Amino acid sequence: MLTIPLFTSIIECTLGRESERFVGKLESFEKKIITLDEIQECYGIEKYEELVDLIGQLIKSNQLKAVKGKLNGKSKPLALKYRIISPKKEKVSYERELLITINPRLNIDHYKKHVKQYEKDREMIFRLNSYLSNHAELLDTKISVKERSYEIFGEEKYLDKHGKIVLKNLGLSLTDLNVYKSTEPLVYESQNDSYPQNLLIMENRDTYYSIRRALRMGHKTILGQRIDTVIYGEGKVIYQSLSDIDNCVEQYLKSLDNKIYYFGDLDYEGIGIFEGLAAEYGKKYQFYLLKDAYLKMIEKALKSENPLPKMKEGQAYQAGTEFFKYFTKKEQMQICNILEGGSYIPQEILNISDF
C-alpha cells in the first residue's frame, strides 16, 4: 500500500446533509504535484462519486489545481495530476491576527518584528492566550512549573525548555505564572529530634550509608565530632535541596542554632561545593567543614600501596579560600601537592571501620 508521510486529511461531517463533504489539508505533502491515485489512496476512498466530490472541494477551497493534460476518461472526468497550492502567509495577516486576538497581558511587539518566529510559536502562544482569557483565576493558586506547563500548554516540560523563551518574547516570566520550582527532596536521617544539633552533609551516597550505619550502631561521634543528623548531598544537588529546606524538613532541623558540617571528595569539585554552600548558607547557618574527615582521608591515602586516582577531566580549579582556612600550612601543602599533581582522594577511601 502506498504511504505518503505527513499527508493529513479531515473529513468534515455536517448533520442534516445527505452526503459527506471532504476538506483536505495538503500543506505538509512532500511533493508539489500529487496524482489522482495518490489522493484516492491517501483518503481511503473507494467510491468514485466520493472522489469527484473530494476533488471538487479541494479545488474550491484553493488547495488543488488540476494540471492540464490527460483526463481519466470517466463520465465525470478528473485530471490525472494536480498541483498543491501552498497558502500564502503574509506578514500583514499575522499582524492583524495578533492585534485582534491576543490577550492584552501579552506584549506582541517582539513577534510583530519576527513573523517567522511567530509562525513557529503560534500554536503555543494561542494556548497561553486562551488560558489567560478563560482561566486566569487558576493563577491565584501557586503550583509547580511542570504542573502549570501542562495546565497551559498540554506539555509538562514545555516551560523547562522553549516555553521560557516564548514567555520572555511576550513580556512575561515564570513569576507571572505563579509557579515554584520543585527541588530534589532532602534525604536525611536523624538520631534524635532535639535542638540545637549537629548536621553532617556528605557528597556521596556510599559514605552517607556508611556513616548512617555507624550512627545506627550506636556511634555518638564521627571522627571526633558529635553528629545528630546525617544528610545525603548528592553532589551539587544539595544546592537545590537546601534552598527548600524550610518546606522539606522537620522543625528541629530548621533551628538557626544548629551547626552544619560538610564532608566531600578531596578534589576541586568537592571543594567548590563546600565553597558554594558556605557562601550561600554560611551567613544564615553555622556552617563548617568536617576537617578531621579530610585529614583521615589524607592519612589513609599516604599509607596506601595503591596510587591515587586521577582527577576527572573538566574540573575547574578552585582556590578554596574558605576550605583551606581549616588547615595548617603543612596540611595545605599536602592537599595542594595532591590536587596540583592531577590526583584526588574520594570519600570512599573511608568506610565504616574508620568511623
Side-chain angles (χ1 to χ4, degrees):
M1 178 179 289
L2 175 65
T3 300
I4 300 179
L6 301 179
F7 189 98
T8 59
S9 66
I10 300 174
I11 300 180
E12 181 180 72
C13 300
T14 306
L15 296 175
R17 296 184 181 180
E18 295 182 357
S19 62
E20 292 179 325
R21 296 296 181 182
F22 301 92
V23 180
K25 288 189 176 181
L26 307 175
E27 295 95 324
S28 58
F29 187 62
E30 292 182 337
K31 298 184 291 184
K32 294 296 183 182
I33 302 296
I34 186 171
T35 67
L36 184 62
D37 289 341
E38 287 174 333
I39 296 173
Q40 184 173 6
E41 186 73 28
C42 291
Y43 281 82
I45 295 175
E46 296 182 359
K47 295 182 180 180
Y48 186 72
E49 289 296 326
E50 292 180 354
L51 181 61
V52 172
D53 194 14
L54 171 63
I55 297 297
Q57 288 292 331
L58 293 175
I59 292 175
K60 185 177 180 181
S61 63
N62 202 34
Q63 296 185 68
L64 282 183
K65 183 177 181 180
V67 175
K68 293 182 178 181
K70 293 183 179 181
L71 303 179
N72 62 356
K74 302 282 186 178
S75 57
K76 293 183 179 180
L78 294 172
L80 296 179
K81 293 183 179 181
Y82 296 84
R83 182 178 301 280
I84 298 173
I85 302 174
S86 299
K88 295 181 179 180
K89 299 179 181 179
E90 299 178 359
K91 179 177 180 180
V92 64
S93 65
Y94 280 125
E95 287 185 346
R96 188 180 300 115
E97 178 180 78
L98 282 165
L99 289 169
I100 293 174
T101 61
I102 292 297
N103 187 284
R105 294 180 64 177
L106 303 178
N107 187 326
I108 60 174
D109 290 345
H110 174 85
Y111 284 109
K112 286 170 65 176
K113 297 175 183 177
H114 301 86
V115 178
K116 288 186 177 180
Q117 187 61 50
Y118 173 67
E119 291 180 38
K120 295 178 181 178
D121 297 339
R122 183 175 179 270
E123 180 180 352
M124 292 309 195
I125 291 173
F126 271 83
R127 290 186 188 183
L128 176 59
N129 179 72
S130 176
Y131 180 88
L132 293 176
S133 299
N134 303 309
H135 308 289
E137 73 281 357
L138 295 177
L139 292 176
D140 293 338
T141 302
K142 195 167 191 174
I143 60 178
S144 75
V145 174
K146 283 185 170 60
E147 289 168 341
R148 186 75 78 199
S149 183
Y150 188 84
E151 187 174 74
I152 297 174
F153 303 102
E155 296 180 14
E156 74 278 10
K157 296 181 180 179
Y158 186 67
L159 285 174
D160 287 336
K161 300 176 182 177
H162 187 62
K164 286 188 291 188
I165 299 175
V166 173
L167 286 183
K168 182 180 179 181
N169 291 343
L170 293 168
L172 296 179
S173 67
L174 289 177
T175 302
D176 296 305
L177 299 184
N178 194 20
V179 296
Y180 63 83
K181 293 183 179 181
S182 55
T183 62
E184 290 293 329
L186 195 66
V187 179
Y188 67 92
E189 181 169 303
S190 299
Q191 303 307 302
N192 57 73
D193 59 1
S194 62
Y195 62 91
Q197 61 171 253
N198 295 336
L199 287 62
L200 174 60
I201 299 173
M202 276 154 299
E203 181 179 347
N204 301 320
R205 183 186 294 109
D206 284 21
T207 310
Y208 165 77
Y209 278 121
S210 292
I211 293 182
R212 186 184 71 172
R213 183 179 165 203
L215 293 174
R216 286 180 175 183
M217 291 170 61
H219 294 211
K220 299 300 181 183
T221 63
I222 298 297
L223 297 172
Q225 180 62 60
R226 179 178 62 84
I227 298 297
D228 302 288
T229 295
V230 61
I231 299 172
Y232 171 40
E234 196 176 354
K236 294 179 180 179
V237 172
I238 190 62
Y239 290 124
Q240 295 182 18
S241 301
L242 283 184
S243 69
D244 196 37
I245 190 170
D246 288 339
N247 298 317
C248 63
V249 300
E250 300 295 334
Q251 189 64 37
Y252 64 88
L253 291 178
K254 303 176 187 179
S255 173
L256 297 182
D257 293 325
N258 291 339
K259 293 182 179 180
I260 303 177
Y261 293 86
Y262 184 81
F263 170 32
D265 291 334
L266 185 54
D267 60 4
Y268 289 134
E269 186 168 291
I271 293 173
I273 294 173
F274 171 75
E275 293 280 320
L277 290 174
E280 183 75 19
Y281 301 102
K283 295 178 181 179
K284 182 177 181 180
Y285 298 99
Q286 300 180 64
F287 205 87
Y288 305 95
L289 189 74
L290 191 63
K291 170 187 173 180
D292 288 342
Y294 292 89
L295 295 180
K296 185 69 175 180
M297 290 168 68
I298 295 171
E299 176 189 340
K300 199 167 181 180
L302 293 176
K303 292 179 179 178
S304 175
E305 296 179 358
N306 297 319
L308 288 175
K310 293 299 180 182
M311 203 180 304
K312 291 178 289 187
E313 293 184 7
Q315 288 200 22
Y317 168 77
Q318 295 287 341
T321 305
E322 185 68 20
F323 177 86
F324 280 107
K325 79 175 188 181
Y326 286 89
F327 302 95
T328 66
K329 292 292 185 180
K330 181 180 178 180
E331 292 163 349
Q332 291 177 16
M333 287 298 298
Q334 284 181 311
I335 295 172
C336 289
N337 287 338
I338 292 171
L339 300 179
E340 292 173 2
S343 299
Y344 78 105
I345 306 177
Q347 276 189 300
E348 291 82 1
I349 194 173
L350 303 183
N351 56 58
I352 193 168
S353 63
D354 299 299
F355 303 131

